[in-house]
Amino acid sequence: MIQKEQFKLSGAEGKTIFGDYTYDDKNTIKGTIIFVHGFKGFKDWGAHNPVAGWFASNGYRYLKFNLSHSGVKLENPVDVTDMETFASNTFSKEFFDVDAVISYTAEKFPDNPIYLIGHSRGGGLAIVTAAKDQRISKLITWSSIADFSSLWKKEQEKEWIRTSTIKVINARTHEAMPLNSTLLHDFRKHKEEFDILKAAERVSVPWLILHGDQDVNVDFSVAQQLAQRQIKAKIYKIEGANHVYGASHPYTSDCLPDHLQQAAEKTLDFILQ
């Protein structure tokens, strides 16, 4: 039977990381998959829960979590509502959280290999992490970015520093979401450390790069850039797929969209190799 367990950890600056892991208690667990969500994303977005159930039914523990500064509150887990926390996020805070979750997983399930999946900006976090963290057995990126600064326009930076805040539009809710300039300052301070393409060159574990060829958020050419930096990586194009592989929020079906089903199956095949 498919089970889900909740957990919470102390994240960056003492903010709480809320997470859960899904597994089949009738199956022998073959490994733990950690999923890292993207910008404006969260663990209960769209089809993330059916995906967790699908991997659990195939013998894996599927662990997902909200980055501590995602702006998602425990009392409203299906939307970004804490704009103050969202605005104060930085990449350093996200890397702190990812490390905390990997440490939690390695300690709680020491006999299982850890597989890391990152979507979009979470893909960037996963690449940089996998390049230096020996606890990761395999890396899978879905629609990953190749540059953290691609999430804003270069011409915004001067005004961003002058006013301390810029606004990004949530395409789903049309809400203007604030980002403090501490994000930009943090990125500039750690530019070498947070260089996704350079980290890609250092990834030594098996790596699968999945990307849709109809992704208007992160073009398929970005996946090709990553693959060129790490020639041992496998790249797979999902024909017709968008940035979220046909999912939407809210997502009410128990079945995965066709493109997301393809992404899940390709991921499972890769893990089993």
Side-chain angles (χ1 to χ4, degrees), residues 187-259:
F187 175 71
R188 287 179 170 179
K189 182 179 178 182
H190 300 280
K191 199 166 185 179
E192 288 294 311
E193 185 185 347
F194 297 166
D195 189 317
I196 298 169
L197 288 173
K198 284 188 177 176
E201 295 172 355
R202 300 193 302 273
V203 171
S204 59
V205 295
W207 176 13
L208 174 64
I209 300 168
L210 283 176
H211 215 107
D213 66 353
Q214 297 299 312
D215 189 336
V216 298
N217 301 87
V218 182
D219 192 78
F220 181 75
S221 62
V222 175
Q224 294 172 311
Q225 269 186 290
L226 291 167
Q228 285 163 2
R229 291 300 185 104
Q230 182 47 259
I231 57 172
K232 292 180 182 177
K234 295 183 177 180
I235 181 169
Y236 184 80
K237 176 169 66 177
I238 298 185
E239 302 277 353
N242 64 10
H243 190 59
V244 291
Y245 304 95
S248 56
H249 186 73
Y251 189 80
T252 54
S253 174
D254 291 331
C255 298
L256 299 181
D258 288 346
H259 292 144

Side-chain angles (χ1 to χ4, degrees), residues 2 4 44 94 120 133 138 141 144 151 185 222 226 244:
I2 302 296
K4 181 187 282 190
D44 295 305
E94 294 192 336
S120 194
D133 194 324
K138 291 187 179 182
T141 51
S144 180
L151 298 163
H185 290 306
V222 175
L226 291 167
V244 291

Side-chain angles (χ1 to χ4, degrees), residues 12 15-16 67-73 80-90 93 178-180:
K15 288 278 186 186
T16 303
L67 292 160
S68 64
H69 286 68
S70 63
V72 178
K73 293 181 175 179
V80 179
T81 54
D82 183 353
M83 293 303 167
E84 185 178 348
T85 297
F86 179 87
S88 67
N89 194 21
T90 66
K93 292 173 184 178
L179 286 176
N180 295 345

Side-chain angles (χ1 to χ4, degrees), residues 95-140:
F95 280 114
F96 181 97
D97 293 346
V98 171
D99 181 71
V101 170
I102 293 171
S103 294
Y104 165 81
T105 305
E107 186 175 332
K108 190 168 179 66
F109 311 111
D111 298 329
N112 287 149
I114 296 174
Y115 308 110
L116 192 60
I117 300 177
H119 175 252
S120 194
R121 184 159 102 180
L125 296 171
I127 292 165
V128 174
T129 299
K132 61 184 179 182
D133 194 324
Q134 296 182 346
R135 296 172 294 183
I136 305 304
S137 295
K138 291 187 179 182
L139 169 67
I140 304 96

Side-chain angles (χ1 to χ4, degrees), residues 253-273:
S253 174
D254 291 331
C255 298
L256 299 181
D258 288 346
H259 292 144
L260 188 54
Q261 183 70 45
Q262 280 186 55
E265 289 174 1
K266 285 293 176 185
T267 299
L268 182 62
D269 289 346
F270 176 72
I271 288 172
L272 287 168
Q273 288 169 10

